[in-house]
Amino acid sequence: MIDLPPLPELPAVSYVMPVLNEEDYLEAAVRTILDQDYAGEKEIVLALGPSRDRSDEIAARLAGEDPRVRLVENPERDIPAGLNRAIAASRHPVIVRVDAHSELTPDYTRLGIRSLRDRGAVNVGGIMRAAGSTPVQRAIARAYNSPFGLGGGAYHGDGTPGPAESAYLGIFRREAVEAAGGYDPTILRGEDWELNLRIRRGGGLIWFDPELRVTYRPRASIGDLARQFFATGTWRAVLVRRYRGANPWRFFMPGGLVAALAASLVLAMLQFLGVAPWASWWSLLHLSPAAYALAIAFAVTTLPDQRGLRDRILSAIALVTMHLSWGTGFLKGIVRGGGRTVDRSRA
């Protein structure tokens, strides 16, 4: 285990946030930090990528209004590089990662500091609860919040407190981040899981506390969702190639689904052309799309907050987009690696 001195009662906190094309969400995210009910000293370091919208203007105004908000440049634009730049510019012993499209509950920092102290953890995370404002974004949020959408990560459900493999965002002891070498700038998605793996291998405890809650604003269109999940799947495959057995089994499921559906499609084409017989054991491959369609239909019936047929159709589209985009990216990453595949969904 990492041997760290006990935290003081109210340790000073540095919030670090990468920003790229976040004009619709940035101010709300920063306000939820400034409104934390935590009595200790606070600073916010925004790492500004080359945005094409008004993000830099909004960030400059926020910094001008409150000296606790500080700005650094992130010319590389990538999230891990921005986080490392913000951490390097920050000063305090507790580091809280925040995304510009996330909103913290007022007690988030206070409860997180308590967990760090009480559990002897070096990183604490809680529940990500997605929320949307349009019919499509609400459907995407429903898919995010469902175990049928993102799988078994504890922070996508309610869960019970306990040790975890990773944490959503994270409230870190600075010493643990520095001992692990910070975020790996060559991992452009899945950087949280990868950093937490290195922290755990160094003896640090990652703790899941469901009392910590963050509202996440997902992508607002199906096209952006597809781009996001293709990049995510690609970089999950990179993590599988690099760390092999350390990866949970759920990482492999979307890629297996896409491979099975593709095999069924190819077989169907060969059968229609008369190259392959219909009456053969190979036809069992067609059970894959049938079983998947039934699974999606069942999943849609379990999702809350749906009003009518349109919401159910949008929910199904969101789930299928997540699965197939992630799985296609995963297969690409297994074969070719990550390359310069990046998430352009907020560009």
Side-chain angles (χ1 to χ4, degrees):
M1 296 291 291
I2 297 177
D3 186 19
L4 298 177
L7 282 174
E9 184 65 25
L10 292 173
V13 175
S14 296
Y15 302 85
V16 295
M17 179 191 296
V19 178
L20 181 70
N21 299 317
E22 297 284 5
E23 66 176 2
D24 292 336
Y25 305 104
L26 176 58
E27 182 160 1
V30 172
R31 296 292 181 200
T32 66
I33 298 172
L34 296 174
D35 291 342
Q36 290 291 288
D37 65 11
Y38 182 67
E41 184 180 355
K42 297 183 284 287
E43 67 173 352
I44 308 171
V45 184
L46 307 180
L48 304 180
S51 294
R52 298 178 181 176
D53 61 7
R54 296 176 51 252
S55 293
D56 288 2
E57 175 186 336
I58 294 169
R61 174 171 56 78
L62 293 169
E65 293 173 356
D66 195 312
R68 293 174 294 179
V69 181
R70 299 166 51 216
L71 312 178
V72 297
E73 296 296 322
N74 178 31
E76 297 92 342
R77 89 185 294 279
D78 299 323
I79 290 174
L83 288 168
N84 285 339
R85 287 179 176 273
I87 290 169
S90 68
R91 302 175 296 232
H92 297 324
V94 173
I95 297 169
V96 180
R97 176 184 171 174
V98 191
D99 282 346
H101 43 277
S102 297
E103 299 168 14
L104 309 181
T105 57
D107 58 3
Y108 182 83
T109 305
R110 176 170 51 82
L111 296 178
I113 297 293
R114 185 188 68 185
S115 281
L116 281 179
R117 182 186 300 108
D118 292 350
R119 302 297 180 178
V122 298
N123 184 20
V124 175
I127 291 174
M128 181 197 80
R129 185 62 63 188
S133 58
T134 67
V136 172
Q137 193 179 37
R138 285 194 293 271
I140 294 171
R142 287 193 293 270
Y144 260 95
N145 294 334
S146 168
F148 297 103
L150 290 177
Y155 50 82
H156 298 305
D158 291 331
T160 56
E165 70 180 48
S166 187
Y168 177 60
L169 300 179
I171 300 175
F172 296 86
R173 295 287 299 263
R174 177 181 290 274
E175 300 97 325
V177 175
E178 292 177 345
Y183 289 89
D184 186 338
T186 69
I187 300 295
L188 303 187
R189 298 286 296 178
E191 70 283 346
D192 292 311
W193 183 89
E194 196 275 339
L195 172 60
N196 282 295
L197 175 64
R198 286 186 281 119
I199 290 175
R200 286 190 288 113
R201 287 182 168 180
L205 173 64
I206 314 299
W207 190 262
F208 170 68
D209 184 349
E211 289 192 72
L212 303 181
R213 294 181 177 264
V214 181
T215 298
Y216 170 78
R217 303 294 177 180
R219 305 305 189 261
S221 75
I222 296 299
D224 285 343
L225 180 69
R227 283 185 282 273
Q228 177 194 14
F229 271 67
F230 180 84
T232 299
T234 298
W235 285 99
R236 287 299 187 190
V238 173
L239 294 174
V240 167
R241 286 165 56 127
R242 179 178 296 188
Y243 293 110
R244 301 184 184 275
N247 294 271
W249 61 269
R250 66 179 183 273
F251 282 12
F252 299 85
M253 291 186 65
L257 169 66
V258 169
L261 295 179
S264 174
L265 177 61
V266 170
L267 177 61
M269 293 173 60
L270 293 176
Q271 289 173 327
F272 277 115
L273 293 173
V275 177
W278 285 98
S280 72
W281 288 105
W282 288 105
S283 292
L284 292 175
L285 286 173
H286 299 317
L287 292 176
S288 298
Y292 181 59
L294 288 174
I296 290 296
F298 173 78
V300 167
T301 65
T302 69
L303 298 181
D305 304 322
Q306 297 182 113
R307 301 177 181 176
L309 181 61
R310 182 184 69 167
D311 279 1
R312 294 183 184 277
I313 291 172
L314 289 174
S315 296
I317 292 172
L319 286 169
V320 171
T321 300
M322 284 181 172
H323 298 156
L324 299 190
S325 300
W326 204 106
T328 303
F330 183 85
L331 295 178
K332 179 261 183 187
I334 286 291
V335 174
R336 300 178 57 188
R340 281 300 302 172
T341 301
V342 294
D343 177 12
R344 301 290 186 187
S345 60
R346 292 193 186 272

